[in-house]
């Protein structure tokens, strides 16, 4: 059990609620925007809608789990049956992180074989990154920190590999893209690294032996939620913007 002060408890409660509605609003927005881009870019928008829909569902579960685990300002973080369930987050990431990478590849509309080769490397690496992070995330007890460090390092290996593929491998195919497109993709990658980089930082915030302190719990939950909103909603809106720019450049007329 940890005992939050009323401000901390309200902050966590409200940020989960904000995360939930952000995901739902983005899902609707990207869905109704389908007709504003050329058909070849619609897959990227479908991926974005799926990502925020899946995340919206999990924020609903996370929100309820927090409410359920609370008795007044006391929150059960023991990992037992009625405790706050951190697994929803990792199940969410296991599904949404590979989809986000497919979303990036889809909006680029590269040659089929290039897309396939990127996806077959990025998807397994991202699943490994999340799966390896989980044992570290849930570790508690007197030696928890060793487990957290071990799995944090293991999870960082596929993370670095993903960055390598996005920056080095993808960079090669960018040379063959028109000037404006290459610049936009460059900005998309920067947004990705800036937002994905928040996750390992939040993970480190939560490290330590025995049960997390109140400040650690709040820091980790707020950090992950803000990162999710940036990496899924803001990212999805950027994908939409790129798809619209490319559609316009390829001769699509706006009908309003
Ligand atoms: C929508 C959710 C996203 C984009 C989640 C991304 C998650 C990561 C980039 C997590 C990375 C981690 C490490 C690199 C090491 C420590 C453990 C993780 C799983 C937090």
């Amino acid at each position: 059990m940890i005992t939050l002060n009323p401000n901390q408890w309200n902050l966590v409660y409200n940020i989960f609620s904000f995360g939930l509605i952000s995901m739902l609003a983005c899902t609707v927005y990207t869905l109704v925007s389908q007709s504003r881009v050329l058909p070849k870019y619609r897959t990227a928008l479908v991926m974005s809608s799926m990502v925020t829909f899946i995340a919206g569902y999990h924020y609903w579960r996370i929100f309820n789990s927090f409410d359920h685990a609370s008795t007044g300002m006391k929150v059960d973080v023991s990992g037992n049956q009625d405790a706050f369930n951190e697994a929803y987050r990792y199940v969410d990431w296991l599904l949404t992180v590979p989809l986000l990478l497919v979303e990036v590849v889809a909006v680029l509309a590269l040659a089929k074989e290039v897309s396939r080769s990127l996806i077959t490397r990025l998807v397994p690496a991202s699943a490994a990154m999340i799966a390896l992070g989980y044992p570290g995330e849930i570790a508690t007890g007197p030696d928890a920190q060793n487990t957290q460090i071990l799995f944090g390092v293991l999870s960082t290996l596929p993370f670095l590999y993903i960055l390598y593929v996005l920056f080095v491998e993808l960079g090669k195919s960018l040379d063959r893209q028109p000037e404006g497109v290459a610049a936009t993709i460059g900005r998309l990658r920067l947004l990705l690294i800036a937002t994905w980089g928040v996750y390992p930082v939040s993970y480190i915030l939560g490290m330590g032996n025995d049960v997390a302190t109140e400040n650690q719990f709040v820091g980790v939950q707020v950090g992950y939620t803000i990162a999710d909103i940036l990496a899924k909603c803001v990212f999805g809106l950027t994908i939409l913007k790129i798809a619209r720019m490319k559609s316009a450049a390829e001769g699509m007329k706006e009908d309003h």
Side-chain angles (χ1 to χ4, degrees), residues 90 93 96-97 100 129 152 155-156 159 196 199-200 203 228 231-232:
Y90 275 75
W93 294 350
T96 55
V97 173
L100 276 169
M129 172 180 82
S155 166
T156 302
F159 180 61
W196 288 34
Y199 294 90
Y203 178 92
D228 276 347
K232 295 178 170 71

Side-chain angles (χ1 to χ4, degrees), residues 46 48 73 76 131 169 181 186 188-189 218 243 256:
V46 174
S48 179
M73 300 290 126
D76 185 352
E169 299 279 310
V181 177
L188 185 74
R189 284 193 307 197
V218 175
H256 49 81

Side-chain angles (χ1 to χ4, degrees), residues 132-155:
L132 288 169
Y134 186 63
E137 187 75 58
I138 60 164
T140 51
D143 309 316
Q145 198 152 8
N146 294 333
T147 314
Q148 290 158 353
I149 292 171
L150 172 66
F151 284 96
V153 169
L154 288 177
S155 166

Side-chain angles (χ1 to χ4, degrees), residues 11-230:
L11 176 62
V12 173
Y13 185 87
N14 290 330
I15 205 133
F16 287 163
S17 173
F18 181 63
L20 171 54
I21 192 57
S22 303
M23 298 302 168
L24 296 184
C26 278
T27 308
V28 173
Y29 193 73
T30 46
L31 268 183
V32 300
S33 299
Q34 284 272 330
S35 62
R36 298 165 78 193
V37 305
L38 288 176
K40 67 172 173 183
Y41 298 118
R42 289 185 191 156
T43 314
L45 292 193
V46 174
M47 293 299 155
S48 179
S49 309
M50 298 249 295
V51 164
T52 49
F53 180 73
I54 293 169
Y57 165 79
H58 284 109
Y59 268 95
W60 175 61
R61 303 303 304 243
I62 290 170
F63 179 86
N64 284 340
S65 171
F66 179 66
D67 213 15
H68 188 74
S70 299
T71 316
M73 300 290 126
K74 281 196 168 52
V75 185
D76 185 352
V77 292
S78 64
N80 298 333
Q81 178 124 53
D82 287 324
F84 178 67
N85 188 349
E86 198 67 68
Y88 290 133
R89 226 178 247 299
Y90 275 75
V91 175
D92 178 71
W93 294 350
L94 198 55
L95 299 169
T96 55
V97 173
L99 282 172
L100 276 169
L101 291 166
V102 175
E103 183 179 327
V104 175
V105 175
V107 84
L108 299 179
L110 303 166
K112 263 218 164 57
E113 59 276 20
V114 181
S115 297
R116 192 173 310 128
S117 134
L118 286 170
I119 286 173
T120 49
R121 282 176 297 155
L122 291 171
V123 167
S126 61
M129 172 180 82
I130 303 303
L132 288 169
Y134 186 63
E137 187 75 58
I138 60 164
T140 51
D143 309 316
Q145 198 152 8
N146 294 333
T147 314
Q148 290 158 353
I149 292 171
L150 172 66
F151 284 96
V153 169
L154 288 177
S155 166
T156 302
L157 299 176
F159 180 61
L160 294 176
Y161 177 70
I162 293 167
L163 296 183
Y164 164 79
V165 172
L166 289 179
F167 281 81
V168 181
E169 299 279 310
L170 196 73
K172 285 186 211 145
S173 60
L174 288 192
D175 296 344
R176 277 169 263 129
Q177 296 263 346
E179 189 72 29
V181 177
T184 316
I185 296 164
R187 280 197 293 276
L188 185 74
R189 284 193 307 197
L190 284 184
L191 178 66
L192 189 141
I193 191 165
T195 56
W196 288 34
V198 178
Y199 294 90
V201 173
S202 295
Y203 178 92
I204 291 169
L205 273 182
M207 282 183 29
N209 288 331
D210 299 314
V211 169
T213 66
E214 283 74 8
N215 285 336
Q216 280 182 315
F217 177 79
V218 175
V220 169
Q221 296 309 325
V222 170
Y224 281 157
T225 307
I226 292 174
D228 276 347
I229 295 170
L230 295 173

